[in-house]
mmCIF file of all heavy atoms in Angstrom:
data_model
loop_
_atom_site.group_PDB
_atom_site.id
_atom_site.type_symbol
_atom_site.label_atom_id
_atom_site.label_comp_id
_atom_site.label_asym_id
_atom_site.label_seq_id
_atom_site.Cartn_x
_atom_site.Cartn_y
_atom_site.Cartn_z
ATOM 1 N N TYR A 1403 86.193 43.728 194.018
ATOM 2 C CA TYR A 1403 86.805 43.635 195.349
ATOM 3 C C TYR A 1403 87.747 44.823 195.595
ATOM 4 O O TYR A 1403 87.751 45.407 196.678
ATOM 5 C CB TYR A 1403 87.580 42.318 195.477
ATOM 6 C CG TYR A 1403 88.290 42.175 196.791
ATOM 7 C CD1 TYR A 1403 87.607 41.759 197.921
ATOM 8 C CD2 TYR A 1403 89.651 42.458 196.908
ATOM 9 C CE1 TYR A 1403 88.256 41.624 199.133
ATOM 10 C CE2 TYR A 1403 90.306 42.328 198.107
ATOM 11 C CZ TYR A 1403 89.609 41.909 199.215
ATOM 12 O OH TYR A 1403 90.259 41.791 200.419
ATOM 13 N N LEU A 1406 85.726 48.003 196.275
ATOM 14 C CA LEU A 1406 85.073 48.001 197.592
ATOM 15 C C LEU A 1406 86.067 48.238 198.719
ATOM 16 O O LEU A 1406 85.720 48.800 199.755
ATOM 17 C CB LEU A 1406 84.342 46.673 197.820
ATOM 18 C CG LEU A 1406 83.116 46.431 196.953
ATOM 19 C CD1 LEU A 1406 82.562 45.029 197.202
ATOM 20 C CD2 LEU A 1406 82.055 47.475 197.214
ATOM 21 N N ASN A 1407 87.312 47.826 198.545
ATOM 22 C CA ASN A 1407 88.318 47.930 199.605
ATOM 23 C C ASN A 1407 89.390 48.970 199.284
ATOM 24 O O ASN A 1407 90.499 48.882 199.795
ATOM 25 C CB ASN A 1407 88.972 46.563 199.817
ATOM 26 C CG ASN A 1407 87.991 45.569 200.346
ATOM 27 O OD1 ASN A 1407 87.331 45.809 201.345
ATOM 28 N ND2 ASN A 1407 87.867 44.448 199.660
ATOM 29 N N TRP A 1408 89.064 49.949 198.471
ATOM 30 C CA TRP A 1408 90.056 50.900 197.947
ATOM 31 C C TRP A 1408 90.790 51.650 199.047
ATOM 32 O O TRP A 1408 91.999 51.655 199.119
ATOM 33 C CB TRP A 1408 89.353 51.880 197.017
ATOM 34 C CG TRP A 1408 90.294 52.829 196.349
ATOM 35 C CD1 TRP A 1408 90.639 54.065 196.772
ATOM 36 C CD2 TRP A 1408 91.029 52.601 195.144
ATOM 37 N NE1 TRP A 1408 91.519 54.623 195.907
ATOM 38 C CE2 TRP A 1408 91.785 53.753 194.895
ATOM 39 C CE3 TRP A 1408 91.106 51.546 194.266
ATOM 40 C CZ2 TRP A 1408 92.603 53.871 193.788
ATOM 41 C CZ3 TRP A 1408 91.929 51.668 193.169
ATOM 42 C CH2 TRP A 1408 92.661 52.810 192.950
ATOM 43 N N ASN A 1409 90.077 52.321 199.933
ATOM 44 C CA ASN A 1409 90.723 53.183 200.925
ATOM 45 C C ASN A 1409 90.567 52.678 202.351
ATOM 46 O O ASN A 1409 90.644 53.466 203.287
ATOM 47 C CB ASN A 1409 90.161 54.603 200.827
ATOM 48 C CG ASN A 1409 90.713 55.348 199.644
ATOM 49 O OD1 ASN A 1409 91.876 55.155 199.276
ATOM 50 N ND2 ASN A 1409 89.906 56.174 199.020
ATOM 51 N N LYS A 1410 90.365 51.411 202.527
ATOM 52 C CA LYS A 1410 90.250 50.875 203.872
ATOM 53 C C LYS A 1410 91.632 50.804 204.494
ATOM 54 O O LYS A 1410 92.611 50.484 203.843
ATOM 55 C CB LYS A 1410 89.611 49.490 203.854
ATOM 56 C CG LYS A 1410 88.140 49.547 203.534
ATOM 57 C CD LYS A 1410 87.503 48.206 203.737
ATOM 58 C CE LYS A 1410 86.016 48.327 203.457
ATOM 59 N NZ LYS A 1410 85.346 47.040 203.633
ATOM 60 N N GLY A 1411 91.682 51.105 205.779
ATOM 61 C CA GLY A 1411 92.951 51.033 206.487
ATOM 62 C C GLY A 1411 93.421 49.602 206.621
ATOM 63 O O GLY A 1411 92.632 48.671 206.676
ATOM 64 N N TYR A 1412 94.707 49.432 206.668
ATOM 65 C CA TYR A 1412 95.241 48.089 206.731
ATOM 66 C C TYR A 1412 95.470 47.625 208.159
ATOM 67 O O TYR A 1412 95.746 46.470 208.402
ATOM 68 C CB TYR A 1412 96.547 47.982 205.942
ATOM 69 C CG TYR A 1412 97.678 48.808 206.513
ATOM 70 C CD1 TYR A 1412 98.580 48.229 207.371
ATOM 71 C CD2 TYR A 1412 97.827 50.136 206.183
ATOM 72 C CE1 TYR A 1412 99.618 48.966 207.908
ATOM 73 C CE2 TYR A 1412 98.850 50.878 206.703
ATOM 74 C CZ TYR A 1412 99.754 50.290 207.564
ATOM 75 O OH TYR A 1412 100.763 51.032 208.085
ATOM 76 N N ILE A 1413 95.350 48.547 209.139
ATOM 77 C CA ILE A 1413 95.579 48.193 210.529
ATOM 78 C C ILE A 1413 94.526 48.888 211.389
ATOM 79 O O ILE A 1413 94.222 50.068 211.194
ATOM 80 C CB ILE A 1413 97.011 48.552 210.971
ATOM 81 C CG1 ILE A 1413 97.328 47.968 212.330
ATOM 82 C CG2 ILE A 1413 97.241 50.023 210.952
ATOM 83 C CD1 ILE A 1413 98.806 48.035 212.692
ATOM 84 N N THR A 1414 93.959 48.161 212.332
ATOM 85 C CA THR A 1414 92.936 48.736 213.206
ATOM 86 C C THR A 1414 93.598 49.375 214.417
ATOM 87 O O THR A 1414 94.789 49.175 214.685
ATOM 88 C CB THR A 1414 91.948 47.658 213.672
ATOM 89 O OG1 THR A 1414 92.660 46.696 214.446
ATOM 90 C CG2 THR A 1414 91.276 46.979 212.486
ATOM 91 N N ASP A 1415 92.818 50.135 215.172
ATOM 92 C CA ASP A 1415 93.341 50.777 216.380
ATOM 93 C C ASP A 1415 93.790 49.740 217.404
ATOM 94 O O ASP A 1415 94.794 49.921 218.089
ATOM 95 C CB ASP A 1415 92.278 51.694 216.996
ATOM 96 C CG ASP A 1415 91.992 52.903 216.120
ATOM 97 O OD1 ASP A 1415 92.891 53.304 215.343
ATOM 98 O OD2 ASP A 1415 90.876 53.448 216.212
ATOM 99 N N GLU A 1417 94.927 46.701 216.771
ATOM 100 C CA GLU A 1417 96.190 46.125 216.311
ATOM 101 C C GLU A 1417 97.347 47.093 216.543
ATOM 102 O O GLU A 1417 98.450 46.685 216.895
ATOM 103 C CB GLU A 1417 96.106 45.762 214.834
ATOM 104 C CG GLU A 1417 95.172 44.622 214.532
ATOM 105 C CD GLU A 1417 94.951 44.406 213.055
ATOM 106 O OE1 GLU A 1417 95.096 45.361 212.277
ATOM 107 O OE2 GLU A 1417 94.630 43.271 212.686
ATOM 108 N N LEU A 1418 97.092 48.380 216.370
ATOM 109 C CA LEU A 1418 98.126 49.387 216.587
ATOM 110 C C LEU A 1418 98.537 49.432 218.055
ATOM 111 O O LEU A 1418 99.725 49.476 218.374
ATOM 112 C CB LEU A 1418 97.636 50.760 216.135
ATOM 113 C CG LEU A 1418 98.627 51.912 216.262
ATOM 114 C CD1 LEU A 1418 99.865 51.640 215.419
ATOM 115 C CD2 LEU A 1418 97.973 53.214 215.860
#
Side-chain angles (χ1 to χ4, degrees):
Y1403 177 81
L1406 291 175
N1407 294 307
W1408 184 267
N1409 284 326
K1410 288 189 178 180
Y1412 65 95
I1413 190 168
T1414 63
D1415 292 334
E1417 292 172 334
L1418 182 61

